[in-house]
Amino acid sequence: MDTVVSGIRSTGNLHLGNYFGAIKNFLKMQKENNCFFFIADYHALTTHPKPADLHGNIKQVLAEYLACGIDPEVATVFIQSDVPEVAELYLLLNMNAYVGELERTASFKEKVRLQPDNVNAGLLTYPVLMASDIIIHKANKVPVGKDQEQHLEMTRHFARRFNMMYEVNYFPEPDAYNFGQQLVKIPGLDGTGKMGKSEGNGVFLADTPQEIRKKVMRAVTDTGPTSPNQEQTEPVKNLFTIMNVVSDPETVKFFTEKYASCEIRYGDMKKQLAEDIVKFTEPIRLRITDLLSDNEYLSRVVAAGAEKARASASKTVKEVREIIGYRGF
Ligand code: TYM
């Protein structure tokens, strides 16, 4: 049995990238393994949400998670800030994390570029907090998308460094995990890059069918192939990538062949894609609405999750303190 940890920042609604990059794998693992799924609301502070928004964002993401099928009866579903032990482990791990390696992290460099006015220390040490989230439960598998690969590599470094420094074999070295071997990167509808929460290029699980149709019909394409079997441009490849995860294989085959023979009509492809996305998201959207109106259920879920997560986390922190040398007199 594996111990599995996965999480998501509470900085915006869940989109198809989150679902197919991380959640889908988690759903497959939740029954047979010791699974933890949490909302990273400490990490969310790096973007300075207003206090009035923080709680609403957490609740929304929690409802969306559960609507996807994460089962709190089998997995431990909790909120990061309900488990303050993670903040202590983060402090302890920070002592063995080097500024140089943190500055070289791709996600940090990107944030420096995107938000030069808010390069806070929390952004720099984001991977240390993420490593703490994972190793505090001694996880060995972490279902995440491709963009988290480097953070997982750093998690392994921090775990290994701790073990070496204190000459113990305490923390396992966890792997980024996907059932299909390759980590997934779902592209956005704007022709380039990955689907993101704030990039304006995403289809959200809570989007209405009308919103989805509008977004997909506006997706960037190109002027169309002019010779048989021509290589696809990035925007077109991206549409096929999304189609691959939401549509049935026959549909993908049909449009792939149409493209290869230069008969493709992007309008038709987008219409089909929009309908397939709606078919996939609509039941989830309806469950999100139901869950959001059931405050009592949501608070029960996170209270039970916090208790289980704290039991696991405090055991680790207690042992780590002893290993480091904090002992009673
Ligand atoms: P976040 O909220 O940015 O992303 C949550 C998960 O969704 C995946 N993801 C994608 N996968 C494929 N294609 C995309 N376009 C796409 N966009 C997002 C991410 O890879 C991620 O798996 N740092 C984490 C949150 C976190 C965490 C953790 C995760 C904090 N601590 C411990 C696992 C374990 C993050 O990026 O969240």
Side-chain angles (χ1 to χ4, degrees):
M1 179 148 76
D2 288 312
T3 298
V4 179
V5 168
S6 196
I8 200 144
R9 273 172 307 144
S10 53
T11 48
N13 293 14
L14 300 193
H15 51 70
L16 292 178
N18 299 132
Y19 186 90
F20 290 103
I23 297 173
K24 189 174 172 204
N25 275 297
F26 189 88
L27 294 177
K28 288 198 209 167
M29 309 181 86
Q30 64 177 350
K31 286 220 164 60
E32 289 83 33
N33 299 286
N34 179 26
C35 286
F36 294 86
F37 212 114
F38 74 98
I39 294 163
D41 62 340
Y42 280 147
H43 279 108
L45 295 183
T46 56
T47 56
H48 298 172
K50 295 207 170 56
D53 295 336
L54 185 69
H55 175 73
N57 290 346
I58 296 168
K59 185 178 166 189
Q60 176 77 27
V61 173
L62 172 67
E64 295 189 346
Y65 250 152
L66 297 172
C68 288
I70 290 180
D71 181 355
E73 298 293 322
V74 293
T76 301
V77 177
F78 67 101
I79 295 169
Q80 188 182 33
S81 66
D82 280 342
V83 184
E85 287 79 5
V86 78
E88 183 171 352
L89 184 60
Y90 164 61
L91 179 147
L92 299 172
L93 287 185
N94 263 323
M95 306 303 168
N96 310 339
Y98 295 99
V99 171
E101 65 187 337
L102 297 171
E103 281 173 342
R104 283 193 298 276
T105 314
S107 58
F108 179 69
K109 288 200 273 191
E110 196 189 330
K111 291 287 181 201
V112 171
R113 195 171 54 79
L114 294 176
Q115 51 182 71
D117 297 333
N118 179 21
V119 184
N120 58 68
L123 279 178
L124 183 70
T125 56
Y126 186 111
V128 187
L129 181 54
M130 179 159 165
S132 306
D133 292 326
I134 297 166
I135 66 177
I136 205 162
H137 302 295
K138 302 179 100 178
N140 49 334
K141 289 212 169 86
V142 188
V144 282
K146 178 93 184 144
D147 59 320
Q148 298 300 310
E149 198 166 33
Q150 190 181 27
H151 289 159
L152 259 293
E153 200 183 315
M154 295 175 81
T155 302
R156 285 195 291 280
H157 280 306
F158 297 142
R160 193 179 318 144
R161 205 174 283 160
F162 179 94
N163 290 345
M164 282 174 69
M165 184 173 257
Y166 296 106
E167 296 179 2
V168 288
N169 187 9
Y170 185 70
F171 285 122
E173 292 183 28
D175 283 310
Y177 186 78
N178 183 287
F179 275 97
Q181 305 297 327
Q182 292 271 12
L183 298 183
V184 172
K185 175 182 153 187
I186 302 296
L189 296 172
D190 52 353
T192 174
K194 69 167 175 133
M195 187 175 287
K197 289 189 179 114
S198 46
E199 280 79 345
N201 65 0
V203 176
F204 297 95
L205 301 178
D207 279 346
T208 61
Q210 294 87 313
E211 283 167 325
I212 292 173
R213 290 185 189 112
K214 208 158 131 192
K215 285 182 181 181
V216 175
M217 293 316 286
R218 282 205 200 130
V220 176
T221 50
D222 57 23
T223 51
T226 48
S227 57
N229 300 315
Q230 187 178 314
E231 211 199 315
Q232 290 170 2
T233 58
E234 194 185 349
V236 173
K237 225 186 261 171
N238 288 351
L239 284 191
F240 273 104
T241 303
I242 301 175
M243 189 170 242
N244 245 309
V245 293
V246 292
S247 304
D248 58 47
E250 279 306 303
T251 306
V252 180
K253 186 164 172 269
F254 175 82
F255 286 103
T256 307
E257 285 171 4
K258 287 280 175 207
Y259 183 91
S261 60
C262 303
E263 292 168 305
I264 192 154
R265 291 186 1 201
Y266 291 137
D268 292 347
M269 180 180 178
K270 287 176 176 180
K271 259 191 211 140
Q272 180 68 46
L273 180 60
E275 291 321 306
D276 290 341
I277 294 176
V278 168
K279 201 162 123 203
F280 171 75
T281 55
E282 196 52 6
I284 299 180
R285 186 176 75 88
L286 298 176
R287 281 199 297 273
I288 295 172
T289 313
D290 281 351
L291 283 159
L292 280 173
S293 66
D294 197 347
N295 227 11
E296 201 194 309
Y297 174 71
L298 295 180
S299 48
R300 237 186 304 129
V301 166
V302 290
E307 198 178 316
K308 282 198 261 171
R310 282 197 85 168
S312 158
S314 55
K315 179 173 183 292
T316 303
V317 169
K318 183 167 176 285
E319 288 166 357
V320 165
R321 288 178 70 108
E322 274 166 28
I323 291 170
I324 289 180
Y326 291 114
R327 286 171 198 157
F329 290 100

